[in-house]
Coordinates of all heavy atoms in Angstrom, one line a residue:
M1175 N 6.5 16.1 -10.0 CA 5.7 14.8 -9.9 C 5.4 14.7 -8.4 O 6.2 14.7 -7.6 CB 6.4 13.7 -10.5 CG 5.6 12.5 -10.2 SD 6.3 10.9 -11.0 CE 5.8 11.2 -12.7
T1176 N 4.1 14.4 -8.0 CA 3.8 14.2 -6.7 C 3.8 12.8 -6.4 O 4.0 12.0 -7.2 CB 2.4 14.7 -6.4 OG1 1.5 14.0 -7.1 CG2 2.1 16.3 -6.7
D1177 N 3.7 12.5 -5.1 CA 3.7 11.0 -4.8 C 2.6 10.4 -5.3 O 2.6 9.2 -5.8 CB 3.6 10.8 -3.2 CG 4.9 11.2 -2.5 OD1 6.0 11.1 -3.1 OD2 4.9 11.6 -1.3
A1178 N 1.3 11.1 -5.4 CA 0.3 10.5 -6.1 C 0.5 10.2 -7.5 O 0.0 9.1 -8.1 CB -1.0 11.4 -6.0
D1179 N 1.1 11.1 -8.2 CA 1.5 11.0 -9.6 C 2.4 9.8 -9.8 O 2.3 9.0 -10.7 CB 2.3 12.2 -10.2 CG 1.3 13.4 -10.3 OD1 0.2 13.2 -10.3 OD2 1.9 14.5 -10.2
L1180 N 3.4 9.6 -8.9 CA 4.3 8.5 -8.9 C 3.5 7.1 -8.8 O 3.8 6.1 -9.6 CB 5.3 8.5 -7.8 CG 6.4 7.4 -7.7 CD1 7.2 7.3 -8.9 CD2 7.2 7.6 -6.5
L1181 N 2.6 7.1 -7.9 CA 1.8 5.9 -7.8 C 1.1 5.6 -8.9 O 0.9 4.4 -9.4 CB 0.9 5.9 -6.5 CG 1.8 6.0 -5.2 CD1 0.6 6.1 -4.1 CD2 2.6 4.9 -5.0
L1182 N 0.5 6.6 -9.6 CA -0.3 6.5 -10.7 C 0.6 5.9 -11.9 O 0.2 5.0 -12.6 CB -0.8 7.9 -11.1 CG -1.9 7.8 -12.3 CD1 -3.1 7.0 -11.9 CD2 -2.2 9.3 -12.7
R1183 N 1.8 6.5 -12.0 CA 2.7 6.0 -13.1 C 3.2 4.5 -12.9 O 3.3 3.8 -13.8 CB 4.0 6.9 -13.1 CG 5.0 6.4 -14.0 CD 6.2 7.4 -14.1 NE 7.2 6.9 -15.0 CZ 7.6 7.6 -16.1 NH1 6.9 8.8 -16.3 NH2 8.5 7.1 -16.9
L1184 N 3.3 4.1 -11.5 CA 3.6 2.8 -11.2 C 2.4 1.8 -11.3 O 2.5 0.6 -11.3 CB 4.2 2.7 -9.7 CG 5.6 3.3 -9.7 CD1 5.9 3.4 -8.2 CD2 6.6 2.3 -10.4
G1185 N 1.2 2.5 -11.4 CA 0.0 1.5 -11.4 C -0.2 1.0 -10.0 O -0.9 -0.2 -10.0
V1186 N 0.1 1.8 -9.0 CA -0.3 1.2 -7.7 C -1.2 1.9 -7.1 O -1.5 3.2 -7.0 CB 1.1 1.4 -6.7 CG1 0.8 1.1 -5.4 CG2 2.2 0.7 -7.2
D1187 N -2.2 1.1 -6.4 CA -3.4 1.6 -5.7 C -3.0 2.1 -4.4 O -2.5 1.3 -3.6 CB -4.5 0.5 -5.6 CG -5.7 0.9 -4.9 OD1 -5.7 2.1 -4.3 OD2 -6.8 0.2 -4.9
P1188 N -3.1 3.3 -4.1 CA -2.7 3.9 -2.7 C -3.3 2.9 -1.5 O -2.5 2.8 -0.5 CB -3.0 5.2 -2.6 CG -3.3 5.7 -4.1 CD -3.7 4.3 -4.8
D1189 N -4.5 2.6 -1.7 CA -5.2 1.7 -0.7 C -4.5 0.5 -0.4 O -4.6 -0.2 0.7 CB -6.6 1.7 -0.9 CG -7.3 2.9 -0.9 OD1 -6.9 3.9 -0.1 OD2 -8.4 3.0 -1.6
T1190 N -3.7 -0.1 -1.3 CA -3.0 -1.3 -1.0 C -1.7 -1.2 -0.3 O -1.1 -2.2 0.2 CB -2.6 -2.0 -2.3 OG1 -1.8 -1.4 -3.0 CG2 -4.0 -2.2 -3.2
L1191 N -1.3 0.2 0.0 CA 0.2 0.3 0.5 C -0.1 0.2 2.1 O -1.1 0.6 2.6 CB 0.6 1.6 0.2 CG 1.0 1.7 -1.4 CD1 1.4 3.2 -1.5 CD2 2.0 0.8 -1.8
A1192 N 0.9 -0.4 2.7 CA 0.9 -0.5 4.2 C 1.2 0.9 4.9 O 2.0 1.7 4.5 CB 2.0 -1.4 4.8
P1193 N 0.3 1.2 5.9 CA 0.5 2.5 6.6 C 2.1 2.5 7.2 O 2.5 1.6 7.7 CB -0.4 2.5 7.7 CG -1.5 1.4 7.3 CD -0.7 0.5 6.5
A1194 N 2.7 3.8 7.0 CA 3.9 4.0 7.5 C 3.8 4.5 9.0 O 4.1 5.7 9.3 CB 4.8 4.7 6.7
V1195 N 3.5 3.7 9.9 CA 3.3 4.1 11.4 C 4.6 4.5 11.9 O 4.7 5.5 12.7 CB 2.6 3.0 12.2 CG1 2.4 3.4 13.6 CG2 1.3 2.7 11.4
D1196 N 5.7 3.8 11.8 CA 6.9 3.9 12.4 C 8.1 4.0 11.3 O 8.5 3.1 10.8 CB 7.3 2.9 13.4 CG 8.6 3.0 14.1 OD1 9.2 4.1 13.8 OD2 8.9 2.3 14.9
P1197 N 8.4 5.3 10.9 CA 9.5 5.5 9.8 C 10.8 4.7 10.1 O 11.5 4.6 9.2 CB 9.6 6.9 9.8 CG 8.4 7.5 10.6 CD 7.9 6.6 11.5
R1198 N 11.1 4.6 11.3 CA 12.3 3.7 11.7 C 12.4 2.3 11.1 O 13.3 1.7 11.1 CB 12.5 3.9 13.3 CG 12.7 5.3 13.7 CD 12.8 5.2 15.2 NE 11.4 4.7 15.7 CZ 11.1 4.5 17.0 NH1 12.0 4.7 17.9 NH2 10.0 4.2 17.3
R1199 N 11.2 1.9 10.7 CA 11.1 0.4 10.4 C 11.5 0.3 8.8 O 11.5 -0.9 8.4 CB 9.7 -0.1 10.5 CG 9.1 -0.1 11.8 CD 9.9 -0.8 12.9 NE 9.9 -2.3 12.6 CZ 10.6 -3.1 13.3 NH1 11.2 -2.8 14.4 NH2 10.5 -4.4 12.8
G1200 N 12.0 1.3 8.1 CA 12.2 1.4 6.7 C 13.2 0.2 6.4 O 13.1 -0.6 5.5
P1201 N 14.5 0.2 7.2 CA 15.4 -0.7 6.8 C 15.1 -2.1 7.0 O 15.5 -3.0 6.2 CB 16.5 -0.3 7.7 CG 16.3 1.1 8.0 CD 14.8 1.2 8.0
D1202 N 14.1 -2.5 7.9 CA 13.6 -3.8 8.0 C 12.7 -4.2 6.8 O 12.7 -5.4 6.5 CB 12.7 -3.9 9.4 CG 13.5 -3.6 10.6 OD1 14.7 -3.8 10.5 OD2 12.9 -3.3 11.6
R1203 N 12.2 -3.3 6.1 CA 11.4 -3.6 5.1 C 12.1 -4.3 3.8 O 11.6 -4.9 3.0 CB 10.5 -2.6 4.5 CG 9.6 -1.9 5.7 CD 8.7 -0.9 5.2 NE 7.7 -1.4 4.3 CZ 6.6 -2.0 4.7 NH1 6.4 -2.3 5.9 NH2 5.7 -2.4 3.8
V1204 N 13.4 -3.9 3.6 CA 14.2 -4.2 2.6 C 15.4 -5.0 3.1 O 16.5 -5.1 2.3 CB 14.6 -3.1 1.6 CG1 13.4 -2.5 1.1 CG2 15.4 -2.0 2.5
G1205 N 15.5 -5.5 4.2 CA 16.7 -6.3 4.8 C 16.7 -7.6 4.4 O 16.4 -8.0 3.2
L1206 N 17.1 -8.6 5.4 CA 17.2 -9.9 5.0 C 15.9 -10.7 4.5 O 16.0 -11.6 3.7 CB 17.8 -10.7 6.2 CG 19.2 -10.4 6.5 CD1 19.6 -11.0 7.9 CD2 20.2 -10.6 5.5
N1207 N 14.8 -10.3 5.1 CA 13.6 -10.8 4.6 C 12.7 -9.7 4.1 O 11.8 -9.3 4.8 CB 12.8 -11.4 5.8 CG 13.6 -12.5 6.4 OD1 14.0 -13.6 5.5 ND2 14.0 -12.6 7.7
P1208 N 13.0 -9.2 2.8 CA 12.4 -8.1 2.2 C 10.8 -8.3 2.1 O 10.3 -9.4 1.7 CB 13.0 -7.7 1.0 CG 13.8 -9.0 0.6 CD 13.9 -9.8 1.9
V1209 N 10.0 -7.3 2.3 CA 8.7 -7.3 1.8 C 8.5 -7.4 0.4 O 9.4 -7.0 -0.3 CB 7.9 -6.2 2.4 CG1 8.0 -6.1 3.9 CG2 8.5 -4.8 1.9
P1210 N 7.3 -7.7 -0.2 CA 7.2 -7.7 -1.7 C 7.1 -6.3 -2.4 O 6.7 -5.4 -1.5 CB 5.9 -8.5 -2.0 CG 5.4 -9.1 -0.5 CD 6.2 -8.3 0.5
C1211 N 7.7 -6.2 -3.4 CA 7.5 -4.9 -4.2 C 6.1 -4.5 -4.3 O 5.2 -5.4 -4.6 CB 8.2 -5.2 -5.6 SG 8.0 -3.7 -6.7
S1212 N 5.8 -3.2 -4.0 CA 4.4 -2.8 -4.2 C 3.9 -2.8 -5.6 O 2.7 -2.9 -5.7 CB 4.4 -1.3 -3.8 OG 4.9 -1.1 -2.4
T1213 N 4.7 -3.0 -6.6 CA 4.3 -3.0 -8.0 C 4.3 -4.4 -8.5 O 3.2 -4.8 -9.0 CB 5.3 -2.2 -8.7 OG1 5.3 -0.9 -8.3 CG2 4.7 -2.2 -10.4
C1214 N 5.3 -5.2 -8.4 CA 5.4 -6.5 -9.2 C 5.4 -7.8 -8.2 O 5.3 -8.8 -8.7 CB 6.6 -6.5 -10.0 SG 8.1 -6.7 -9.2
G1215 N 5.6 -7.5 -6.9 CA 5.7 -8.7 -5.9 C 7.0 -9.2 -5.7 O 7.2 -10.2 -4.7
Q1216 N 8.1 -8.8 -6.6 CA 9.4 -9.4 -6.2 C 9.9 -8.8 -4.9 O 9.4 -7.8 -4.4 CB 10.3 -8.9 -7.5 CG 10.1 -9.5 -8.7 CD 10.3 -11.0 -8.7 OE1 11.3 -11.6 -8.2 NE2 9.3 -11.8 -9.1
P1217 N 11.0 -9.4 -4.3 CA 11.6 -8.8 -3.1 C 11.9 -7.3 -3.2 O 12.6 -7.0 -4.3 CB 12.9 -9.7 -2.9 CG 12.5 -11.0 -3.6 CD 11.8 -10.7 -4.7
A1218 N 11.4 -6.5 -2.3 CA 11.9 -5.1 -2.4 C 13.3 -4.8 -2.0 O 13.7 -5.5 -1.1 CB 10.8 -4.3 -1.5
R1219 N 13.9 -3.8 -2.7 CA 15.2 -3.5 -2.3 C 15.4 -2.0 -1.9 O 16.2 -1.6 -1.4 CB 16.1 -3.6 -3.6 CG 16.2 -5.2 -3.9 CD 17.0 -5.9 -2.8 NE 17.0 -7.3 -3.3 CZ 16.8 -8.4 -2.3 NH1 16.5 -8.0 -1.1 NH2 16.8 -9.6 -2.7
F1220 N 14.1 -1.2 -2.2 CA 14.2 0.2 -1.9 C 12.7 0.5 -1.2 O 11.8 -0.1 -1.7 CB 14.2 1.0 -3.2 CG 15.5 0.8 -3.9 CD1 15.5 -0.2 -5.0 CD2 16.7 1.5 -3.6 CE1 16.8 -0.5 -5.6 CE2 17.9 1.2 -4.3 CZ 17.9 0.3 -5.3
T1221 N 12.8 1.2 -0.3 CA 11.5 1.7 0.3 C 11.6 3.2 0.7 O 12.6 3.9 0.8 CB 11.2 0.8 1.6 OG1 9.7 1.1 1.9 CG2 12.0 1.2 2.8
R1222 N 10.3 3.8 0.7 CA 10.3 5.2 1.1 C 8.8 5.5 1.5 O 7.9 4.6 1.2 CB 10.6 6.1 -0.1 CG 9.7 6.1 -1.2 CD 10.2 7.1 -2.3 NE 10.0 8.4 -1.8 CZ 9.1 9.3 -2.2 NH1 8.2 8.9 -3.3 NH2 9.0 10.5 -1.9
I1223 N 8.6 6.5 2.1 CA 7.3 6.9 2.7 C 6.7 7.9 1.6 O 7.4 8.8 1.4 CB 7.4 7.5 4.1 CG1 7.8 6.4 5.1 CG2 6.0 7.9 4.4 CD1 8.1 6.8 6.5
V1224 N 5.5 7.5 1.2 CA 4.8 8.4 0.3 C 3.7 9.2 1.2 O 3.1 8.5 2.1 CB 4.1 7.8 -0.8 CG1 5.4 7.4 -1.8 CG2 3.4 6.6 -0.5
D1225 N 3.6 10.5 0.9 CA 2.6 11.2 1.6 C 1.3 11.3 0.8 O 1.2 12.0 -0.2 CB 3.2 12.6 2.1 CG 2.4 13.4 3.0 OD1 1.5 12.8 3.7 OD2 2.5 14.7 2.9
L1226 N 0.3 10.7 1.4 CA -0.9 10.5 0.7 C -2.1 11.1 1.4 O -2.0 11.4 2.6 CB -1.2 9.0 0.2 CG -0.1 8.5 -0.6 CD1 -0.4 6.9 -0.7 CD2 0.0 9.2 -1.9
D1227 N -3.4 11.2 0.8 CA -4.5 11.6 1.6 C -4.8 10.7 2.5 O -5.5 10.9 3.6 CB -5.8 11.7 0.5 CG -5.6 12.9 -0.5 OD1 -4.7 13.8 0.0 OD2 -6.2 13.0 -1.4
Q1228 N -4.5 9.3 2.3 CA -4.7 8.2 3.3 C -3.7 8.2 4.5 O -3.8 7.4 5.4 CB -4.6 6.8 2.7 CG -5.7 6.6 1.5 CD -5.1 7.1 0.2 OE1 -4.2 7.9 0.0 NE2 -5.7 6.6 -0.9
G1229 N -2.7 9.3 4.5 CA -1.8 9.2 5.4 C -0.4 8.7 4.9 O -0.3 8.2 3.7
P1230 N 0.6 8.7 5.7 CA 1.9 8.2 5.2 C 1.8 6.7 5.0 O 1.3 6.0 5.8 CB 2.9 8.5 6.4 CG 2.1 8.7 7.5 CD 0.7 9.2 7.1
R1231 N 2.4 6.2 3.9 CA 2.2 4.8 3.4 C 3.7 4.4 2.9 O 4.5 5.2 2.3 CB 1.2 4.5 2.2 CG -0.2 4.9 2.6 CD -0.7 3.9 3.6 NE -2.0 4.4 4.1 CZ -3.2 3.6 3.9 NH1 -3.0 2.5 3.1 NH2 -4.2 4.1 4.3
W1232 N 4.0 3.1 3.0 CA 5.3 2.6 2.5 C 5.2 2.2 1.1 O 4.2 1.5 0.7 CB 5.6 1.3 3.3 CG 6.1 1.5 4.6 CD1 5.3 1.0 5.8 CD2 7.3 2.0 5.2 NE1 6.0 1.3 7.0 CE2 7.2 2.1 6.6 CE3 8.4 2.7 4.6 CZ2 8.1 2.6 7.4 CZ3 9.4 3.2 5.4 CH2 9.3 3.2 6.7
L1233 N 6.0 2.7 0.3 CA 6.2 2.4 -1.2 C 7.4 1.6 -1.3 O 8.5 2.0 -1.2 CB 6.3 3.6 -2.0 CG 6.4 3.2 -3.5 CD1 5.4 2.4 -4.2 CD2 6.6 4.5 -4.4
D1234 N 7.3 0.3 -1.5 CA 8.4 -0.7 -1.4 C 8.6 -1.1 -2.9 O 7.7 -1.4 -3.6 CB 8.1 -2.0 -0.7 CG 7.7 -1.6 0.7 OD1 8.5 -0.9 1.4 OD2 6.5 -2.1 1.1
R1235 N 9.8 -1.0 -3.4 CA 10.1 -1.4 -4.8 C 11.4 -2.3 -4.9 O 12.3 -2.2 -4.2 CB 10.4 0.0 -5.7 CG 9.0 0.7 -5.8 CD 9.3 2.0 -6.6 NE 9.9 3.0 -5.6 CZ 10.3 4.2 -5.9 NH1 10.3 4.5 -7.2 NH2 10.8 5.0 -5.0
C1236 N 11.1 -3.2 -5.9 CA 12.4 -4.0 -6.3 C 13.3 -3.1 -7.2 O 13.0 -1.9 -7.5 CB 11.9 -5.2 -7.0 SG 11.2 -4.8 -8.7
R1237 N 14.4 -3.7 -7.5 CA 15.5 -2.9 -8.4 C 14.8 -2.4 -9.5 O 15.0 -1.3 -10.0 CB 16.6 -3.8 -8.5 CG 17.8 -3.1 -9.2 CD 18.9 -4.0 -9.4 NE 20.0 -3.4 -10.1 CZ 20.2 -3.4 -11.4 NH1 19.3 -4.0 -12.2 NH2 21.1 -2.7 -12.0
S1238 N 14.2 -3.3 -10.3 CA 13.7 -3.0 -11.6 C 12.6 -1.8 -11.6 O 12.7 -0.9 -12.4 CB 13.1 -4.1 -12.3 OG 14.1 -5.1 -12.6
C1239 N 11.7 -2.0 -10.6 CA 10.6 -0.9 -10.4 C 11.2 0.4 -10.0 O 10.8 1.4 -10.4 CB 9.5 -1.4 -9.6 SG 8.6 -2.8 -10.2
F1240 N 12.2 0.3 -9.1 CA 12.8 1.5 -8.7 C 13.6 2.2 -9.8 O 13.4 3.5 -10.1 CB 13.9 1.2 -7.6 CG 14.7 2.3 -7.1 CD1 14.1 3.5 -6.3 CD2 15.9 2.7 -7.7 CE1 14.9 4.6 -5.9 CE2 16.7 3.8 -7.3 CZ 16.1 4.7 -6.4
L1241 N 14.3 1.5 -10.7 CA 15.0 2.0 -11.7 C 14.1 2.7 -12.8 O 14.4 3.6 -13.6 CB 16.0 1.1 -12.4 CG 17.3 0.7 -11.5 CD1 18.0 -0.5 -12.1 CD2 18.1 1.9 -11.1
A1242 N 12.9 2.0 -12.9 CA 11.9 2.5 -13.9 C 11.4 3.9 -13.7 O 11.0 4.6 -14.5 CB 10.8 1.6 -14.0
T1243 N 11.6 4.3 -12.3 CA 11.0 5.5 -12.0 C 12.1 6.4 -11.3 O 11.7 7.6 -10.8 CB 9.8 5.4 -11.0 OG1 10.4 4.7 -9.9 CG2 8.7 4.6 -11.6
V1244 N 13.3 6.1 -11.2 CA 14.3 6.9 -10.6 C 14.4 8.4 -11.0 O 14.6 9.2 -10.1 CB 15.7 6.1 -10.5 CG1 16.2 6.3 -11.9 CG2 16.5 6.7 -9.5
G1245 N 14.2 8.7 -12.2 CA 14.2 10.0 -12.6 C 13.0 10.8 -12.5 O 12.9 12.0 -12.8
T1246 N 11.9 10.2 -12.0 CA 10.6 10.7 -12.0 C 10.0 11.0 -10.6 O 8.9 11.3 -10.5 CB 9.6 9.9 -12.9 OG1 9.4 8.7 -12.1 CG2 9.9 9.7 -14.3
Q1247 N 11.0 10.7 -9.7 CA 10.4 10.7 -8.3 C 10.2 12.2 -7.8 O 11.0 13.2 -8.3 CB 11.5 10.0 -7.3 CG 11.5 8.6 -7.6 CD 12.3 7.9 -6.6 OE1 12.1 7.9 -5.4 NE2 13.3 7.2 -7.0
P1248 N 9.3 12.5 -6.9 CA 9.2 13.8 -6.4 C 10.5 14.4 -5.9 O 11.2 13.5 -5.1 CB 8.0 13.6 -5.4 CG 7.4 12.3 -5.7 CD 8.4 11.6 -6.3
S1249 N 10.7 15.6 -6.1 CA 11.9 16.1 -5.7 C 11.5 17.4 -4.9 O 10.8 18.2 -5.4 CB 12.8 16.5 -6.8 OG 13.9 17.3 -6.2
R1250 N 12.3 17.6 -3.8 CA 12.2 18.9 -3.0 C 13.2 19.8 -3.3 O 13.2 20.9 -2.8 CB 12.1 18.5 -1.5 CG 10.8 17.6 -1.1 CD 10.8 17.3 0.2 NE 9.6 16.9 0.6 CZ 9.2 15.4 0.5 NH1 10.1 14.7 0.1 NH2 8.0 15.0 0.9
M1251 N 14.0 19.4 -4.3 CA 15.2 20.4 -4.6 C 14.7 21.2 -5.7 O 13.9 20.8 -6.7 CB 16.3 19.6 -5.3 CG 16.9 18.5 -4.1 SD 17.7 19.4 -2.8 CE 19.2 20.0 -3.7
P1252 N 15.0 22.6 -5.7 CA 14.7 23.5 -6.8 C 15.3 23.1 -8.1 O 16.5 22.6 -8.1 CB 15.3 24.8 -6.3 CG 16.4 24.4 -5.2 CD 16.0 23.3 -4.7
A1253 N 14.7 23.2 -9.3 CA 15.2 22.8 -10.5 C 15.8 24.1 -11.2 O 16.4 23.8 -12.3 CB 14.0 22.2 -11.3
T1254 N 15.6 25.2 -10.7 CA 16.0 26.4 -11.5 C 16.9 27.3 -10.5 O 16.9 27.2 -9.4 CB 15.0 27.2 -11.9 OG1 14.2 27.8 -10.9 CG2 14.0 26.3 -12.8
V1255 N 17.8 28.3 -11.1 CA 18.4 29.2 -10.3 C 17.6 29.9 -9.5 O 17.8 30.3 -8.3 CB 19.4 30.0 -11.2 CG1 20.0 31.1 -10.5 CG2 20.4 29.2 -11.9
D1256 N 16.5 30.4 -10.1 CA 15.5 31.3 -9.3 C 14.9 30.4 -8.1 O 14.7 31.0 -7.0 CB 14.3 31.7 -10.2 CG 14.8 32.7 -11.3 OD1 15.8 33.4 -11.1 OD2 14.1 32.9 -12.3
G1257 N 14.8 29.2 -8.3 CA 14.3 28.4 -7.3 C 15.2 28.1 -6.1 O 14.9 28.3 -5.1
I1258 N 16.5 28.0 -6.5 CA 17.6 27.9 -5.5 C 17.7 29.3 -4.8 O 17.8 29.3 -3.5 CB 18.9 27.7 -6.3 CG1 19.0 26.2 -6.8 CG2 20.2 27.8 -5.2 CD1 20.1 26.0 -7.8
V1259 N 17.6 30.3 -5.5 CA 17.7 31.7 -4.7 C 16.5 31.9 -3.8 O 16.7 32.4 -2.7 CB 17.7 32.9 -5.8 CG1 17.6 34.2 -5.1 CG2 19.0 32.7 -6.6
A1260 N 15.3 31.5 -4.2 CA 14.2 31.5 -3.4 C 14.3 30.8 -2.1 O 13.9 31.2 -1.2 CB 12.9 31.1 -4.2
D1261 N 14.9 29.5 -2.3 CA 15.1 28.7 -1.2 C 16.1 29.4 -0.2 O 16.0 29.3 1.0 CB 15.6 27.3 -1.6 CG 14.5 26.4 -2.1 OD1 13.3 26.8 -2.1 OD2 14.8 25.2 -2.3
L1262 N 17.1 29.8 -0.7 CA 18.1 30.6 0.0 C 17.6 31.9 0.9 O 17.9 32.0 2.1 CB 19.3 31.1 -0.9 CG 20.4 30.1 -1.3 CD1 21.3 30.7 -2.3 CD2 21.1 29.6 -0.2
R1263 N 16.8 32.6 0.1 CA 16.0 33.7 0.8 C 15.0 33.2 1.9 O 15.2 33.8 3.0 CB 15.2 34.5 -0.2 CG 16.1 35.3 -1.1 CD 15.3 36.2 -2.0 NE 16.0 36.7 -3.2 CZ 17.0 37.7 -3.2 NH1 17.3 38.2 -2.0 NH2 17.6 38.0 -4.2
A1264 N 14.5 32.1 1.7 CA 13.6 31.5 2.8 C 14.3 31.1 3.9 O 14.0 31.2 5.0 CB 12.8 30.5 2.2
A1265 N 15.5 30.4 3.6 CA 16.2 29.9 4.7 C 17.0 31.1 5.6 O 17.1 31.0 6.8 CB 17.5 29.0 4.1
M1266 N 17.5 32.2 4.8 CA 17.9 33.4 5.5 C 16.9 34.0 6.4 O 17.1 34.3 7.5 CB 18.3 34.5 4.4 CG 19.5 34.1 3.5 SD 19.7 35.1 2.1 CE 19.1 36.8 2.6
A1267 N 15.6 34.1 5.9 CA 14.6 34.7 6.7 C 14.3 33.9 8.0 O 14.2 34.3 9.1 CB 13.3 34.8 5.8
E1268 N 14.4 32.5 7.8 CA 14.1 31.6 8.9 C 15.2 31.7 9.9 O 14.9 31.7 11.2 CB 14.0 30.2 8.2 CG 13.5 29.1 9.5 CD 13.3 27.8 8.9 OE1 12.8 27.6 7.7 OE2 13.7 26.8 9.5
A1269 N 16.4 31.8 9.4 CA 17.6 31.8 10.3 C 17.8 33.3 10.9 O 18.6 33.4 11.8 CB 18.9 31.4 9.6
G1270 N 17.2 34.2 10.3 CA 17.4 35.6 10.7 C 18.8 36.1 10.5 O 19.2 37.0 11.3
V1271 N 19.3 35.8 9.4 CA 20.7 36.2 9.0 C 20.5 37.0 7.7 O 19.5 36.8 6.9 CB 21.6 35.1 8.9 CG1 21.9 34.3 10.2 CG2 21.2 34.2 7.7
A1272 N 21.5 37.8 7.4 CA 21.5 38.5 6.2 C 22.6 37.8 5.2 O 23.5 37.4 5.6 CB 22.0 40.1 6.5
L1273 N 22.2 37.9 4.0 CA 23.0 37.2 3.0 C 22.9 38.0 1.8 O 21.7 38.4 1.2 CB 22.7 35.7 2.7 CG 23.4 35.0 1.5 CD1 24.8 34.8 2.1 CD2 22.7 33.6 1.5
T1274 N 24.0 38.3 1.1 CA 23.9 39.0 -0.1 C 24.3 38.1 -1.3 O 25.3 37.3 -1.2 CB 25.0 40.2 -0.1 OG1 24.6 41.1 0.9 CG2 24.9 41.0 -1.5
I1275 N 23.4 38.1 -2.3 CA 23.6 37.1 -3.4 C 24.2 38.0 -4.6 O 23.5 39.0 -5.0 CB 22.4 36.4 -3.8 CG1 21.9 35.6 -2.7 CG2 22.6 35.7 -5.0 CD1 20.5 34.9 -2.9
I1276 N 25.4 37.7 -5.0 CA 25.9 38.5 -6.1 C 25.9 37.6 -7.4 O 26.4 36.5 -7.5 CB 27.4 38.8 -5.8 CG1 27.5 39.7 -4.5 CG2 28.1 39.6 -6.8 CD1 28.8 39.8 -3.9
E1277 N 25.3 38.1 -8.4 CA 25.3 37.5 -9.7 C 26.6 37.7 -10.4 O 27.2 38.7 -10.5 CB 24.1 38.1 -10.6 CG 22.8 37.7 -9.9 CD 21.7 38.2 -10.9 OE1 21.9 37.9 -12.1 OE2 20.6 38.5 -10.5
A1278 N 27.1 36.6 -11.1 CA 28.3 36.5 -11.8 C 28.1 37.5 -13.1 O 26.9 37.4 -13.5 CB 28.7 35.2 -12.2
P1279 N 29.0 38.2 -13.5 CA 28.9 38.9 -14.8 C 28.7 38.1 -16.0 O 29.0 37.0 -16.1 CB 30.2 39.8 -14.8 CG 31.1 39.2 -14.0 CD 30.4 38.4 -12.9
Ligands
LIG2524 ZN1 9.0 -4.5 -8.7

C-alpha cells in the first residue's frame, strides 16, 4: 500500500495536508497542543510524513484513525524470505562486502 492508497482509504484529500517543510517539527504536531486529526478533526496523537506528488505532507491522526489503519500502512520491510534475501544482497553490494547465505535443510 502506497501513501496515496493510505490517504484514499482514510478519505483524506492530499491537497488538504500541510506541507512537511521541516521534518523535525513532527513531535510538536502531537505534543501538548496537538493539531487536528487529518481525518476526523480530533486531537492528533500520531503523525508521519507522506510522500506525495504534491511533495512531503504531514498526515496527523488521532488514536482511533491511527488504529483503523495500523495494519495497512506502507511498509519498506520485505514481506517474504526472497525479499529479505534481495535486501541483504543489495546491502552487501552497497557495502562492498561478501556474505554467504546458507539455507537451512
Ligand atoms: Zn481521527
Side-chain angles (χ1 to χ4, degrees):
M1175 178 178 280
T1176 65
D1177 287 337
D1179 293 336
L1180 176 62
L1181 296 182
L1182 187 63
R1183 183 180 177 112
L1184 289 168
V1186 174
D1187 179 355
D1189 291 330
T1190 64
L1191 300 178
V1195 178
D1196 185 355
R1198 295 171 296 177
R1199 305 297 300 178
D1202 293 342
R1203 300 185 69 78
V1204 294
L1206 293 176
N1207 297 304
V1209 297
C1211 173
S1212 302
T1213 302
C1214 71
Q1216 293 295 312
R1219 298 292 178 227
F1220 304 89
T1221 191
R1222 64 181 292 254
I1223 296 173
V1224 289
D1225 189 18
L1226 304 169
D1227 291 341
Q1228 297 88 339
R1231 302 288 175 115
W1232 290 111
L1233 175 62
D1234 307 303
R1235 285 176 286 174
C1236 68
R1237 183 178 179 275
S1238 295
C1239 292
F1240 175 78
L1241 291 176
T1243 57
V1244 71
T1246 61
Q1247 295 188 58
S1249 172
R1250 291 179 173 84
M1251 299 292 290
T1254 64
V1255 172
D1256 289 341
I1258 293 168
V1259 171
D1261 280 2
L1262 285 172
R1263 290 188 194 286
M1266 291 166 33
E1268 185 176 324
V1271 298
L1273 176 68
T1274 302
I1275 300 171
I1276 301 170
E1277 291 185 36

